Amino acid sequence: MSTLSDLVHSQGRLTDVDVEWLHRLAGDGQLLADLASADIVIWIETADASFTAVTHSRPSGAATLFYRDIVGEKVRPQWRTQVHAAFESAEIVDSSSPDWFEETPTRVRAVPIIRGSGDDRVVVGVLTRHTNLGEARMPSRQQISFDECANDLFRMISSGEFPDLAAPTAPRRGAPRAADGLIRIDVDGITTFASPNALSAFNRMGFDDELEGESLAEVTTRIVPPSRQVDESLPVVVTGRAPWRTDMEARGVTVSLRAIPLKDHGTRIGAIVLCRDVSELRHQEQELITKDATIREIHHRVKNNLQTVASLLRIQARRTHSDEARDALTQAMRRVESIAVVHDTLASGLAQTVDFDEVFDRVLKLVAEVAAAPNTRARTQREGRFGVLPSEYATPLALALTEVVTNAVEHGLAGQEGVVSIEAFRTAESLRVIVSDTGHGLPEGRVGQGLGTQIIRTLIQGELSGSIEWKGAEGEGTEVVIEIPLRWIKA
């Protein structure tokens, strides 16, 4: 299905600011549908002077008229004149008599979507409200209040006062909806209506009286303990002075609040305050934060422990008198440090993935000690990108490549000057790495059977389900080709 951006940009008639305006309004489509108990559709003008639906929101607490999405469809003949009139006149146009849609009586309101004011006013589209009259019944006080709020917002849309681009975007998980709780306050901050769910949320925080007739700011002041640190935006939200969002907490209950100031031609007349009990959601978020912090701390401690082990191996290598033992300890130290690099990278972020290019660049520095051996001058160069890998891939691959590059320097370039080249080729299905050197090559064309070679085979073939191949002949350098399947990893 096409996205709002795809549909809007395909028309090529709106500016980026217009598109952003439509995105903001579409984000509140569900709120408008729930307040109006009607289907809400946003239309934009096409090149042929017709209109195409770009968003469609169904009401949560009422019957929908459209059981199939009409996004992407042209405006239907019975609405065309009304939609066109609202677009051309920049005024709200109501249907003069009930409109029939698939044998269901409906009432349609067309609201011009205005951006800007004065000489900068631009009509960027039309919003239609489709009310199902077949489900009509005696409205409750809540529905009447909801409908009044919807009409205020429709009027603000037609005068360029809603949505507000200054409002925060990307709402936190658990953003309040109309059905969760709605409070309407006047220009002085006095509550004129509070839905039952809104009253229940405040009751759970310790307010035992009625909200209506009370100053919402004073109520929150009485509820929130003086010792608790309060979000500085809370007074702005509960007085309805700015389109903002915040949380308030009391008695172990957390309620998310969102204020929508109501205006009439630039004059503030009150506000809608949506509220939702998000105690469980915030508790889950806190658990995730704690879990992430614990995982980072574990990786940090593992890295520290591995570095301690590496330091002990280095000390032992310096004190041993056997050249063979010293080489074995030095190689063990380097292997431990290469694993520590992966854990150090994991400790710096939340995700259990690593940018392996960063890891490998740090691993190459470990090989520099070997490259500085007497009579050996090795230069390393890397081409291509490894990309992001899960930690379970990163650790064995880092260790295996450390062994391969170390072998290339120690054995391939021993006593001479040369280059070790590492090339990485990443696709959606596999990672291919080629390590080549300009050194001595494989004696008699055969691969050695030492511990390093065994470690490489075990890591690549056993842990990564990959393949490894050595190529080259004596005097012609060596090329090692590693291929690892990435069936569960995005490229």
Side-chain angles (χ1 to χ4, degrees), residues 285-314:
E285 289 174 353
Q286 188 59 46
E287 286 184 336
L288 288 174
I289 292 172
T290 302
K291 176 184 175 182
D292 289 335
T294 302
I295 291 174
R296 287 200 305 272
E297 179 62 20
I298 289 172
H299 284 303
H300 180 70
R301 293 190 181 189
V302 169
K303 182 262 296 184
N304 288 345
N305 290 339
L306 289 172
Q307 288 182 335
T308 300
V309 172
S311 296
L312 293 174
L313 291 171
R314 183 183 294 108

Side-chain angles (χ1 to χ4, degrees), residues 45-276:
E45 188 182 29
T46 57
D48 59 359
S50 182
F51 290 86
T52 297
V54 292
T55 69
H56 173 205
S57 302
R58 294 180 173 85
S60 300
T64 180
L65 281 171
F66 310 108
Y67 294 96
R68 295 181 182 275
D69 260 338
I70 63 173
V71 172
E73 293 185 9
K74 296 284 188 180
V75 65
R76 302 192 181 187
Q78 63 264 45
W79 311 321
R80 186 182 298 123
T81 300
Q82 189 177 350
V83 170
H84 191 271
F87 187 83
E88 291 297 327
S89 67
E91 300 287 345
I92 296 176
V93 179
D94 288 306
S95 54
S96 56
S97 59
D99 175 66
W100 289 84
F101 178 79
E102 296 181 355
E103 301 182 354
T104 301
T106 68
R107 184 171 62 250
V108 180
R109 164 171 282 193
V111 181
I113 302 172
I114 306 292
R115 179 183 62 77
S117 59
D119 295 336
D120 296 327
R121 280 166 53 97
V122 178
V123 183
V124 298
V126 176
L127 178 149
T128 52
R129 162 183 170 169
H130 303 261
T131 306
N132 187 341
L133 299 179
E135 298 288 328
R137 56 183 182 271
M138 184 65 67
S140 64
R141 181 167 178 261
Q142 173 171 302
Q143 185 52 59
I144 292 173
S145 298
F146 276 26
D147 196 56
E148 290 174 350
C149 292
N151 288 333
D152 286 334
L153 292 177
F154 291 142
R155 187 186 64 253
M156 291 170 62
I157 292 170
S158 68
S159 61
E161 297 173 303
F162 187 82
D164 192 328
L165 295 185
T169 57
R172 294 177 64 188
R173 181 168 171 252
R177 301 159 297 190
D180 296 320
L182 181 144
I183 299 170
R184 177 157 183 160
I185 58 178
D186 62 19
V187 69
D188 297 318
I190 305 301
T191 303
T192 59
F193 171 79
S195 70
N197 285 346
L199 184 58
S200 295
F202 275 78
N203 288 160
R204 286 192 288 275
M205 287 190 292
F207 181 73
D208 298 326
D209 208 344
E210 293 293 329
L211 279 173
E212 293 182 16
E214 296 280 353
S215 166
L216 189 60
E218 293 179 2
V219 168
T220 57
T221 301
R222 297 203 299 267
I223 290 176
V224 179
S227 58
R228 182 173 295 279
Q229 186 176 359
V230 177
D231 189 331
E232 61 184 13
S233 63
L234 180 59
V236 176
V237 172
V238 296
T239 55
R241 295 182 178 277
W244 212 253
R245 298 176 185 178
T246 188
D247 285 356
M248 62 179 294
E249 184 177 351
R251 290 191 175 183
V253 176
T254 303
V255 173
S256 178
L257 302 173
R258 177 193 177 188
I260 304 175
L262 298 177
K263 298 179 182 179
D264 186 3
H265 296 90
T267 302
R268 192 167 63 87
I269 60 174
I272 299 169
V273 179
L274 302 174
C275 54
R276 178 182 181 182

